[in-house]
Amino acid sequence: MTEAAVQDRWADAMLAAALLAVDPGLGGAVVRAGPGPTREAWLSGFRALHTVDTPWRRMPPGIGDDRLLGGLDLAAALGSGQRVLQRGLLAEADGGVVIAPMAERMATGTAARLAGALEDGAIRVERDGVAERLSTRFVLVVLDEGLDDEVPPEALMERLAFRMELDTIGHRDALPISATPEDIAEARIVLAEVAPPGDDAIHAICAAADALGVWSLRAPRLALRTAAALAALEGRDAIERDDLSNAARLVLSPRATRIPPPPEAEPDTAEAEQEHAEKPNDTPSEGEDDGPDDTDQGQGGLDDIVLDAARAALPEGLEQLWAVTGSVSRAAPARSGASGARLPAAKRGRRIGTRPGQPDGSAGLDLVETLKTAAPWQRLRGKLIGASGPLRVRRDDFRIRRFEQRSESTVIFVVDASGSAALQRLAETKGAVELLLAEAYVRRTQVALIAFRGEGADLLLPPTRSLARARKQLAELAGGGATPLAAGLETAAILAVAERAKGRTPLLVFMTDGRGNIALDGGAFRTRAEQDALNACRRIRAAGLRAALIDISPRPRGDGEKLAAAMGATFAALPYVEAGRVRDVVRALED
């Protein structure tokens, strides 16, 4: 990226900060950047646009509902014997800013509650015997620190106007913002007087969104709201053409899923005039259209200007996007994610709340939640008993802790190393295994390799994270012989079940053309071999194992797709295999 491009990206990021300060109704921003001086410079610049009394809250990762939304104030309830509401983080941030770090790992429930608060401008607390509606209007800054395809929940991101990437900006290029809180206050006053966008402006923004493949209905609305804030920031009470162009560039371009077609070339003016002169009748007859009027030309011109501005700011590499889901057919087991499946755990892991129950060896008592449940009833219980004294806790008040753990994933490659397939598969498999192992520590992934050839299948690489060990084993991998496909399927299923028994999430990736010729008993009978392979696939499906089958024969004949359907697996036909694409199939399987 050139120095000018870096400066433009930073200028857009600071402009977005100013627009959020002018109009908090824009929702917020997704800032993709790791911890560092550049991200802190943007946050500091954004904070400098607010007054000192603006609430500023940082939301801890893994925050619980009691802290996020609020609930019973235990100390006050114990002292008064009445239900007393304790305000949560969102209520405390009313009129201010909420910072959400590590948003790529945000729980789905937390994202849903944030999205609801952004939509309604309020939260409703209904827990611990408390029911109350609290106002909360805030700007949400989502800090995305994920790797590759790790992103915050889409349902939350689509409610935020801006998306920016700051990883490519050095701290020396992160210059301070020139606006002041006084400038923002003046712009807010002007914003209330900005005229609503006209039909031409609405049409231009919606046409640009359609051309860019932005399907969310919120995106055009946020773009029009951004245009109004841009006009207010300039001290104008009407939206102009440049406001629409900049709004499309800031809001629509980062959401683009396709490249719009290039604009059609307009006919040469001289040729058009000559054509017009050659017409026998220059005066149109009644009811005949003599060409577009000024209004049509103005509308077409505005649409093109807005789209051109958005096209110029499209994300890099958009034309190289490769979607593996285009040719897949898969079942839908429980979501595992990049860090393994979520598993309930009784005594350890991430806290996910409490439930009524009796403490025993497998579940511990949550004392605070138990007291919070019992506190509102103390006055009534004291009257029933007719005496005052210590806190009275009944069996129904007991609350036990609930935890959740993420298991590791084990990606099991099952490779056809027979003579017909070895040359075109082994090199790509080695590359894919090395790519996955290179990021195994971050993604909590282990990799195993099974090769089938000759009369059976062998576990060449037991589950490991060691890249050095994998390279040594892969270097010795050779091919040749017949194709015992059923044996490969059975060996993979046995290893996957064993990994699941150890608390890991197994993911099976088969690389074959789907044409076996050796049965499970070792007989060289193609018909029986095909039936054994189908039966093995059905057993894998019955066991609930997640799998993908990659048919990488030069001319797929449908055998692989048939096996994938029997297995309930993802199917991808990749006649020209690359290690990166195999890795993408695994990523899609994890998600």
Side-chain angles (χ1 to χ4, degrees):
M1 183 178 293
T2 64
E3 183 177 353
V6 170
Q7 293 174 353
D8 289 344
R9 178 169 291 187
W10 178 252
D12 283 347
M14 298 313 294
L15 177 58
L19 293 171
L20 287 174
V22 171
D23 184 7
L26 291 170
V30 180
V31 181
R32 186 171 179 84
T38 301
R39 192 178 77 178
E40 292 306 314
W42 187 88
L43 290 172
S44 298
F46 183 42
R47 188 163 194 167
L49 298 174
H50 297 78
T51 58
V52 293
D53 58 342
T54 300
W56 196 274
R57 297 290 184 270
R58 198 174 187 92
M59 191 180 80
I63 187 172
D65 285 350
D66 53 346
R67 178 66 187 114
L68 183 68
L69 303 177
L72 185 69
D73 188 329
L74 178 59
L78 290 175
S80 64
Q82 298 178 350
R83 299 181 180 89
V84 180
L85 178 66
Q86 183 178 35
R87 290 161 62 86
L89 182 143
L90 294 184
E92 294 172 359
D94 186 24
V97 179
V98 174
I99 308 295
M102 298 178 64
E104 73 282 356
R105 295 181 179 271
M106 184 182 294
T108 305
T110 302
R113 290 165 181 78
L114 286 171
L118 288 169
E119 287 281 342
D120 300 336
I123 55 173
R124 186 166 183 84
V125 182
E126 294 180 338
R127 50 181 296 143
D128 301 326
V130 177
E132 191 168 343
R133 180 182 173 88
L134 301 175
S135 174
T136 174
R137 296 186 180 277
F138 57 92
V139 171
L140 179 63
V141 177
V142 169
L143 301 182
D144 180 4
E145 305 171 17
L147 299 174
D148 299 327
D149 60 345
E150 289 183 321
V151 294
E154 181 62 31
L156 184 59
M157 289 203 301
E158 72 168 325
R159 289 169 168 82
L160 309 180
F162 306 112
R163 303 180 184 184
M164 58 192 78
E165 294 192 11
L166 304 182
D167 279 332
T168 57
I169 301 175
H171 67 278
R172 292 186 178 86
D173 297 311
L175 302 177
I177 193 168
S178 58
T180 64
E182 290 73 21
D183 298 331
I184 299 302
E186 293 177 5
R188 285 184 175 181
I189 296 174
V190 177
L191 180 63
E193 302 174 357
V194 174
D199 292 342
D200 291 352
I202 296 174
H203 185 279
I205 289 294
C206 292
D210 179 65
L212 295 169
V214 180
W215 310 122
S216 171
L217 296 179
R218 291 186 177 89
R221 187 186 66 184
L222 290 171
L224 290 168
R225 193 158 187 162
T226 299
L230 284 164
L233 202 57
E234 294 291 331
R236 291 183 273 102
D237 60 359
I239 297 174
E240 296 184 354
R241 183 178 62 187
D242 289 344
D243 300 326
L244 295 172
S245 298
N246 289 327
R249 179 169 54 82
L250 292 171
V251 178
L252 300 182
S253 294
R255 291 171 159 82
T257 61
R258 67 185 182 193
I259 297 178
E264 296 181 2
E266 297 186 1
D268 184 71
T269 306
E271 293 180 2
E273 290 179 355
Q274 184 177 359
E275 263 183 40
H276 184 69
E278 290 175 356
K279 288 183 179 180
N281 295 322
D282 289 343
T283 304
S285 59
E286 183 178 354
E288 184 180 349
D289 187 5
D290 62 344
D293 57 19
D294 294 339
T295 304
D296 293 337
Q297 290 177 357
Q299 177 60 64
L302 182 59
D303 288 3
D304 293 340
I305 290 170
V306 172
L307 182 56
D308 286 344
R311 184 189 288 111
L314 288 176
E316 296 178 3
L318 183 64
E319 69 279 358
Q320 298 176 358
L321 284 178
W322 179 76
V324 72
T325 56
S327 59
V328 298
S329 168
R330 60 180 290 180
R335 178 181 175 87
S336 63
S339 300
R342 295 189 179 101
L343 303 175
K347 293 185 177 181
R348 59 185 180 180
R350 187 177 72 86
R351 177 81 174 270
I352 58 173
T354 61
R355 64 177 177 86
Q358 303 302 313
D360 53 29
S362 62
L365 177 69
D366 190 316
L367 180 60
V368 174
E369 292 297 324
T370 299
L371 294 177
K372 287 169 67 175
T373 304
W377 304 99
Q378 295 308 298
R379 180 173 295 180
L380 179 61
R381 291 174 183 176
K383 288 181 178 178
L384 290 176
I385 297 174
S388 60
L391 186 70
R392 294 172 176 82
V393 179
R394 297 180 178 177
R395 183 180 296 271
D396 293 342
D397 299 329
F398 287 158
R399 296 294 183 268
I400 59 176
R401 292 185 292 267
R402 296 172 58 217
F403 296 95
E404 177 184 80
Q405 286 181 305
R406 282 189 179 273
S407 68
E408 291 184 341
S409 295
T410 301
V411 181
I412 304 172
F413 281 96
V414 188
V415 184
D416 186 345
S418 63
S420 63
L423 292 179
Q424 67 187 43
R425 289 178 174 81
L426 297 184
E428 290 82 2
T429 304
K430 293 176 183 179
V433 170
E434 291 191 10
L435 275 176
L436 288 168
L437 284 173
E439 56 189 24
Y441 181 78
V442 175
R443 297 177 66 84
R444 302 182 61 139
T445 303
Q446 296 198 34
V447 175
L449 176 63
I450 295 173
F452 56 92
R453 62 184 183 273
E455 297 182 356
D458 299 312
L459 177 61
L460 300 182
L461 181 66
T464 181
R465 285 185 184 174
S466 171
L467 185 57
R469 179 183 178 189
R471 283 175 174 167
K472 181 180 178 181
Q473 295 293 333
L474 291 171
E476 300 172 358
L477 178 58
T483 310
L485 176 58
L489 293 165
E490 289 285 352
T491 304
I494 292 171
L495 178 59
V497 171
E499 287 297 292
R500 188 165 61 185
K502 296 176 183 177
R504 302 190 183 110
T505 303
L507 306 171
L508 296 168
V509 180
F510 297 92
M511 300 179 67
T512 177
D513 56 11
R515 296 191 289 273
N517 53 24
I518 300 295
L520 278 176
D521 60 3
F525 302 99
R526 182 175 294 276
T527 303
R528 199 194 316 163
E530 292 175 350
Q531 188 59 47
D532 286 348
L534 280 173
N535 291 337
C537 288
R538 296 187 182 105
R539 284 191 287 272
I540 289 173
R541 183 169 192 164
L545 298 172
R546 305 190 72 178
L549 191 146
I550 302 175
D551 188 337
I552 51 178
S553 56
R555 295 182 179 178
R557 302 179 182 176
D559 302 271
E561 190 169 7
K562 182 179 179 181
L563 292 176
M567 204 185 310
T570 298
F571 174 76
L574 304 178
Y576 303 102
V577 179
E578 298 174 3
R581 292 195 170 187
V582 175
R583 190 264 309 270
D584 289 341
V585 171
V586 177
R587 292 280 185 82
L589 188 62
E590 288 179 336
D591 292 340

